[in-house]
Amino acid sequence: MSELQTTPRARRPRPKAVTLTEAAAGRVREIMANADKPYVALRVGVKNGGCAGQEYTFAYAETIEPLDEVVEDKGVTILIDPKAVLFLIGSEIDYETTRLASKFVFRNPNETDACGCGESVTIIPAAALDAD
């Protein structure tokens, strides 16, 4: 009987869960460069709250947690809480400046609704959208 030998194939690169526009990447790099501590990344997530049910979260990260989804885009490291990954797949983060405000904005294909004030959204996880 002959032995079957297998050679591991190189894996196809996974698409990034979240991407940044140039404006957002530049603003994050600027914020991180001027931070009081040596943060390693920007942590992005989703939490329950607001009138539409969910809110996006941003925080500085001092460490990378073992289960974090790590995304490198345009010179910025983004960490995504594992519970938020399915809610954020395919999202683009932009940074917009208007006459009245400057803010980060999510363009998330998984959003199904947003409140009138723009502070909260309703998001269906990517797996649930794909099942329809």
Side-chain angles (χ1 to χ4, degrees):
M1 199 177 234
S2 66
E3 289 186 35
L4 180 62
Q5 293 183 353
T6 59
T7 306
R9 283 192 330 200
R11 292 189 115 184
R12 206 168 20 126
R14 260 188 344 186
K16 296 175 183 176
V18 173
T19 58
L20 298 169
T21 64
E22 288 295 337
R27 183 63 180 140
V28 171
R29 286 192 300 267
E30 180 183 344
I31 290 169
M32 298 295 272
N34 295 320
D36 296 336
K37 294 182 179 181
Y39 297 109
V40 297
L42 176 68
R43 184 175 303 283
V44 178
V46 175
K47 69 176 185 174
N48 291 334
C51 51
Q54 295 160 307
E55 299 173 332
Y56 295 111
T57 62
F58 283 96
Y60 295 115
E62 294 183 50
T63 60
I64 298 174
E65 299 300 323
L67 298 178
D68 282 340
E69 176 80 15
V70 180
V71 176
E72 301 282 342
D73 192 33
K74 298 176 181 67
V76 174
T77 302
I78 303 166
L79 305 178
I80 304 172
D81 178 350
K83 293 178 280 187
V85 171
L86 290 178
F87 292 99
L88 297 175
I89 288 176
S91 294
E92 177 185 64
I93 302 172
D94 194 7
Y95 185 74
E96 295 179 348
T97 302
T98 66
R99 294 172 127 187
L100 299 175
S102 297
K103 62 183 178 178
F104 287 98
V105 176
F106 278 80
R107 293 190 184 96
N108 185 342
N110 306 308
E111 276 185 29
T112 60
D113 196 13
C115 68
C117 66
E119 294 298 318
S120 67
V121 294
T122 303
I123 308 170
I124 295 183
L129 286 177
D130 292 341
D132 290 339

